Amino acid sequence: MKIKYLSLILFGVSILTGVAQAASSGRQEMNRFIDSLMAGMTLEEKVGQTNLLTWDGSLQTGATKSKGVSEKIARGVVGGLFNVGSLEERIDIQRYALCSSRLGIPLLFGQDVIHGHRTIFPIPLGLACSWDMELVERTARAAADEASSEGIDWVFSPMVDIVRDPRWGRVAESSGEDPYLGSCIAAAMVKGYQRGDLTRPDAVMACVKHFGLYGAGEGGRDYDAVDMSLNRMYQVYLPPYRAAVDAGVGSVMTSFNDINGVPATANKWLLTDLLRTQWGFDGLVVSDYTSVGELSNHGLGNLRQVAARALAAGLDMDMVSEGVYKHLKECVESGAITMQDIDRACRRVLEAKYRLGLFADPFVRLRERAADRKQAACLALEAARKSAVLLKNDGVLPLKKNAKVALVGPFADSKYDLFGTWVLAGNSNEVITVKDGIARYTRDLYYTPGAIVTDNPDLARVIRYDIQGYGDPEQLLSEALAAARDADVVVAVMGETSGMSGESASMTDIGLQKTQRRLLEALVEVGKEVVLVLVNGRPMTLEWEDQNCNAILEAWAPGVQGGNAIADILFGAYNPSGKLAISFPVNVGQIPIYYSTKPTGRPYVPYGKYTAGYIDCLNEPLYPFGYGLNYSPVEYSDIRVDRYAGAGCLSVRATLTNKGNLQTTETVQLYIGDPVASISRPKKELKSFKKIGLEPGESKDIEFSVTENDLKFYNERLEYGWEPGDFVFEIGPDSKNTISVRFKIEKFGDAN
Ligand code: NOJ
């Protein structure tokens, strides 16, 4: 690419004069600046701003990629690029855009920074299990720091889709099943990325996705249809997007699915009536990868028709399809799109650039700046420790230092798979493997993989896994069994490769692959204690493992410091504190599965005929939402409600006692049920949670303030409010094992 440095300087001086001041001031100045810029733009240039394109080497997550991009940049018809390789490339491209195009409008650089940029943190589902909002915010801030230091202005995160079907591979990118927890995480991530001031060189614009309801695709299949009642939509699926909007998110990405028959990307109700009018969102709306073009596959017409419809529905930026741009003439001549829509979309793209400080300084994030990678590595360790969930422990954990360990399983010495899905800039050489981590605690360590990940050839092809490359399966197995016989304890590290969850990774069998299960069964047969460590991206079906292993640690795809974190937990240097952000089903037949079920007219009785249950399995999950053990059991007692807590609130309290002999941190959860109301309400809903530290033997009271807001719900007419009457307050270590009290509330704020 030829760079015209001189013209760049001249251009910079002429076009940007007076703009620096504008960038730092308010909306009016922004409007004035954009008005005058747009006054000089041609129709083609305006529409060009709505084009978000890929670059050579960009990750391609759809059938098409952008063509002739350099030439389009020079014509001034590209608004931004995403997933562009390196800082150097971005610098070159920005220079080129500034000096080769007529108006020299800076480009916006987006990227899928999902759980860290260079420093990879646990996958979002893992991080959600920390229930630590301050930690979540810090990881987003660290990601922003690293990404912005390499010229990225905009990250396609957070993904806040509620997921109640673990067959969907993108559950790994989500915060799980619960709207309250999901909303807290959405807000924390937006704050972390945007840092309260988008013009900061170390801040990036967040993009909440995928609006909306993408997590509710039929059968857990990616990109599939969604059909949902308005009540469930408002009560459960929409709140996390709303929380991101309320936290000031700069952009929203539309989803692939339809809502009430109209795909989100062309859904006027969703993009304009709800998002803009009801929620007051004033940022940028971008499509997902070719989701404009895909509207044709949904059956809405040809590209010209669907692009016009998407724009009119409220879409501002088109990722890859270039729908309106390609058919501009016909669209305008036929009246399919109005100048008003074009102006609006162009303005929103320019506003995003303005807010990001790009008009004041197009190189604001393109200057050499070293992010604090050391601090990020410490944070990655903290995050991986706090994300891991101890699912079972019969007392085998923590292991004794210098125990003789047989370390087996296909992920015991794996690097890349500890990253999980969506890693564009992380370097797997930096990963601490489980083997490296455990070697810090014992020299008596024998490692052998024992089995390959899968022998399913179809799956292996899709996830690009080499079935052949690991030697003879019988040989692998016999080495592992020999190691087990010779050891004090077996640590088996099993689960999923990074490609087995994430986008386009839906599965019908979410148990351990047969190869791994066979190894685990043989190890259990040996008779030594077996600790199963799971490295994976989704809830798995683990009934057999729960019955037969001595301990199970769900480590998720834990990121760059995963091996250290896992070893710290196994050997007791860190007392596990993670709690599940999603229920684990006993089997696939229980899906969809979640804790906040509604009552039925025929209340469930285990195996009871003519009641709302199965006759071959319980309704309960294997591990419920909110669940997670630690090494020091905590007892809950004495739940009570105090009406005199202060104006407009009452308090719910309980006493917690650490019955063990280790310091522990407990995530205490408050659930509220509304047993009598004008509509049938879920039996319970998470309304608050708090972390509390307890020394061995220590007792502490925990107090939650409850206000009217905690009791509100959408009624039949979708009005949001609360109804006086009885409420059930539950406090506990998870959604199932709670202590509860029933209490009547007529009104708030008086001292009756
Ligand atoms: C498709 C995915 O659905 C979305 O999450 C991602 O941000 C875009 N591709 C861009 O890579």
Side-chain angles (χ1 to χ4, degrees):
M1 182 185 299
K2 206 167 151 236
I3 307 297
K4 301 179 216 158
Y5 289 98
L6 182 62
S7 55
L8 168 68
I9 294 161
L10 293 176
F11 160 83
V13 174
S14 62
I15 285 284
L16 300 175
T17 302
V19 173
Q21 305 94 297
S24 62
S25 47
R27 173 131 212 149
Q28 274 185 343
E29 272 180 78
M30 175 171 81
N31 289 346
R32 266 201 298 277
F33 173 76
I34 292 176
D35 286 346
S36 74
L37 182 57
M38 283 179 64
M41 288 173 83
T42 64
L43 182 60
E44 199 198 25
E45 283 166 342
K46 284 181 181 173
V47 172
Q49 284 302 307
T50 71
N51 283 337
L52 177 62
L53 305 184
T54 58
W55 188 248
D56 284 347
S58 289
L59 177 74
Q60 193 180 331
T61 59
T64 321
K65 65 178 179 189
S66 311
K67 295 194 189 82
V69 181
S70 300
E71 183 258 339
K72 285 177 185 157
I73 291 175
R75 291 228 313 275
V77 293
V78 179
L81 298 176
F82 69 103
N83 294 348
V84 172
S86 64
L87 170 65
E88 289 69 33
E89 270 178 298
R90 286 179 204 110
I91 293 174
D92 278 354
I93 298 169
Q94 189 70 300
R95 281 184 180 142
Y96 177 68
L98 294 176
C99 67
S100 66
S101 63
R102 193 176 73 87
L103 293 173
I105 296 173
L107 294 171
L108 193 57
F109 289 105
Q111 181 134 323
D112 283 293
V113 174
I114 308 297
H115 49 116
H117 176 61
R118 291 271 162 203
T119 306
I120 303 303
F121 301 113
I123 51 166
L125 185 60
L127 203 55
C129 294
S130 72
W131 296 53
D132 184 335
M133 296 311 115
E134 195 251 343
L135 171 74
V136 170
E137 186 176 335
R138 279 189 289 137
T139 61
R141 206 184 308 144
D145 187 30
E146 290 184 359
S148 61
S149 78
E150 294 186 28
I152 293 162
D153 306 299
W154 183 21
V155 295
F156 302 147
S157 171
M159 143 137 164
V160 305
D161 307 318
I162 292 291
V163 190
R164 294 176 166 190
D165 188 335
R167 292 173 296 183
W168 194 44
R170 302 199 81 168
V171 65
E173 298 173 52
S174 81
S175 296
E177 73 181 53
D178 185 66
Y180 179 76
L181 181 61
S183 298
C184 295
I185 292 173
M189 296 208 66
V190 170
K191 281 187 209 141
Y193 287 134
Q194 301 194 162
R195 313 192 72 161
D197 176 7
L198 279 180
T199 61
R200 284 176 68 136
D202 56 0
V204 290
M205 178 166 75
C207 183
V208 65
K209 67 188 190 185
H210 307 79
F211 193 54
L213 326 182
Y214 182 35
E218 285 183 357
R221 291 178 297 270
D222 214 346
Y223 321 117
D224 214 325
V226 169
D227 202 346
M228 187 183 291
S229 73
L230 279 170
N231 190 273
R232 173 168 286 185
M233 209 186 281
Y234 273 78
Q235 196 66 37
V236 179
Y237 281 77
L238 293 178
Y241 308 108
R242 174 78 194 260
V245 168
D246 290 347
V249 73
S251 65
V252 171
M253 187 186 293
T254 65
S255 56
F256 291 112
N257 55 282
D258 71 298
I259 295 174
N260 278 332
V262 183
T265 304
N267 194 314
K268 190 161 191 299
W269 170 78
L270 186 77
L271 303 185
T272 300
D273 303 350
L274 183 72
L275 182 65
R276 302 279 180 198
T277 312
Q278 287 185 40
W279 294 0
F281 177 67
D282 82 333
L284 174 71
V285 176
V286 62
S287 78
D288 202 341
Y289 201 108
T290 58
S291 70
V292 172
E294 289 167 29
L295 293 168
S296 296
N297 294 343
H298 279 274
L300 297 196
N302 61 30
L303 184 61
R304 176 176 63 75
Q305 292 165 323
V306 297
R309 185 159 169 190
L311 197 77
L315 188 82
D316 303 317
M317 213 172 190
D318 172 342
M319 191 188 287
V320 179
S321 304
E322 300 174 63
V324 175
Y325 175 70
K326 282 182 186 157
H327 296 280
L328 183 57
K329 212 161 163 275
E330 303 129 83
C331 283
V332 173
E333 279 169 8
S334 68
I337 52 172
T338 62
M339 265 323 286
Q340 229 178 348
D341 285 332
I342 295 177
D343 281 346
R344 181 218 69 223
C346 171
R347 178 175 293 275
R348 294 235 181 89
V349 178
L350 297 175
E351 282 178 1
K353 294 181 179 184
Y354 186 98
R355 288 180 171 132
L356 280 158
L358 289 173
F359 286 112
D361 176 3
F363 294 92
V364 59
R365 293 176 194 81
L366 289 167
R367 286 206 186 80
E368 201 68 28
R369 177 173 63 80
D372 192 344
R373 299 240 26 228
K374 240 185 170 164
Q375 204 187 353
C378 295
L379 186 58
L381 176 63
E382 180 187 346
R385 283 167 155 187
K386 289 181 169 173
S387 301
V389 184
L390 185 61
L391 298 176
K392 179 181 177 186
N393 184 18
D394 69 359
V396 60
L397 295 179
L399 301 176
K400 287 191 194 63
K401 222 175 160 193
N402 288 321
K404 193 168 189 182
V405 174
L407 178 64
V408 298
F411 301 105
D413 196 27
S414 166
K415 284 179 179 271
Y416 193 77
D417 293 310
L418 268 58
F419 272 171
T421 183
W422 280 124
V423 171
L424 270 67
N427 176 354
S428 60
N429 288 327
E430 293 176 7
V431 171
I432 309 291
T433 67
V434 180
K435 180 166 149 251
D436 299 337
I438 292 187
R440 290 177 20 246
Y441 289 94
T442 178
R443 278 196 213 104
D444 225 347
L445 172 66
Y446 185 83
Y447 159 71
T448 175
I452 58 173
V453 170
T454 181
D455 58 4
N456 175 339
D458 297 322
L459 175 64
R461 200 173 332 105
V462 180
I463 64 172
R464 300 210 183 102
Y465 176 75
D466 172 17
I467 293 184
Q468 309 302 334
Y470 295 83
D472 174 36
E474 295 312 316
Q475 175 73 23
L476 287 175
L477 180 64
S478 72
E479 275 171 22
L481 296 184
R485 281 187 205 105
D486 196 36
D488 299 333
V489 61
V490 177
V491 175
V493 189
M494 299 185 170
E496 300 182 312
T497 68
S498 56
M500 285 164 74
S501 61
E503 185 172 353
S504 185
S506 296
M507 306 237 294
T508 59
D509 180 355
I510 56 171
L512 281 178
Q513 291 292 305
K514 287 191 194 73
T515 47
Q516 300 181 55
R517 176 66 175 274
R518 177 171 169 244
L519 169 62
L520 197 60
E521 284 173 9
L523 290 167
V524 167
E525 279 288 297
V526 169
K528 297 289 170 66
E529 290 178 307
V530 175
V531 177
L532 174 63
V533 175
L534 290 165
V535 168
N536 58 333
R538 56 155 58 78
M540 300 182 80
T541 47
L542 301 167
E543 192 180 21
W544 185 90
E545 290 76 2
D546 183 71
Q547 284 162 6
N548 291 282
C549 296
N550 300 85
I552 305 179
L553 179 68
E554 175 55 86
W556 307 108
V560 69
Q561 284 288 327
N564 278 335
I566 290 168
D568 291 347
I569 292 173
L570 295 183
F571 286 86
Y574 183 79
N575 191 355
S577 58
K579 301 274 191 177
L580 293 179
I582 189 161
S583 309
F584 274 46
V586 174
N587 57 40
V588 168
Q590 288 184 319
I591 297 170
I593 189 158
Y594 51 94
Y595 78 92
S596 60
T597 52
K598 284 208 235 159
T600 69
R602 303 244 175 135
Y604 159 68
V605 174
Y607 303 111
K609 283 294 278 179
Y610 310 112
T611 74
Y614 302 104
I615 58 167
D616 65 342
C617 177
L618 297 175
N619 277 14
E620 280 84 25
L622 184 63
Y623 305 118
F625 173 82
Y627 171 82
L629 303 171
N630 63 43
Y631 295 148
S632 224
V634 174
E635 190 185 82
Y636 285 65
S637 61
D638 200 14
I639 184 166
R640 62 244 184 232
V641 178
D642 179 2
R643 192 184 286 284
Y644 306 103
C649 73
L650 49 81
S651 86
V652 188
R653 285 176 225 246
T655 306
L656 272 73
T657 308
N658 181 351
K659 292 289 199 185
N661 48 18
L662 288 174
Q663 199 282 338
T664 194
T665 301
E666 176 76 343
T667 301
V668 189
Q669 300 155 38
L670 171 74
Y671 296 87
I672 302 182
D674 187 356
V676 183
S678 59
I679 61 167
S680 190
R681 305 271 299 116
K683 286 176 221 152
K684 59 176 92 171
E685 292 172 309
L686 180 73
K687 290 296 174 181
S688 189
F689 55 87
K690 278 185 179 172
K691 291 202 176 271
I692 180 167
L694 290 165
E695 296 300 321
E698 188 183 14
S699 277
K700 270 187 192 163
D701 275 3
I702 185 114
E703 178 179 359
F704 292 99
S705 297
V706 173
T707 68
E708 282 181 331
N709 272 340
D710 300 312
L711 308 181
K712 287 183 178 165
F713 62 95
Y714 291 93
N715 69 13
E716 235 180 321
R717 291 175 298 283
L718 294 177
E719 295 151 350
Y720 194 56
W722 73 286
E723 296 171 0
D726 276 5
F727 292 89
V728 178
F729 297 94
E730 298 186 34
I731 291 181
D734 59 61
S735 58
K736 189 173 171 212
N737 301 296
T738 54
I739 50 175
S740 66
V741 58
R742 196 170 168 130
F743 194 82
K744 188 181 275 316
I745 307 175
E746 293 302 343
K747 57 179 172 174
F748 278 85
D750 59 351
N752 54 350

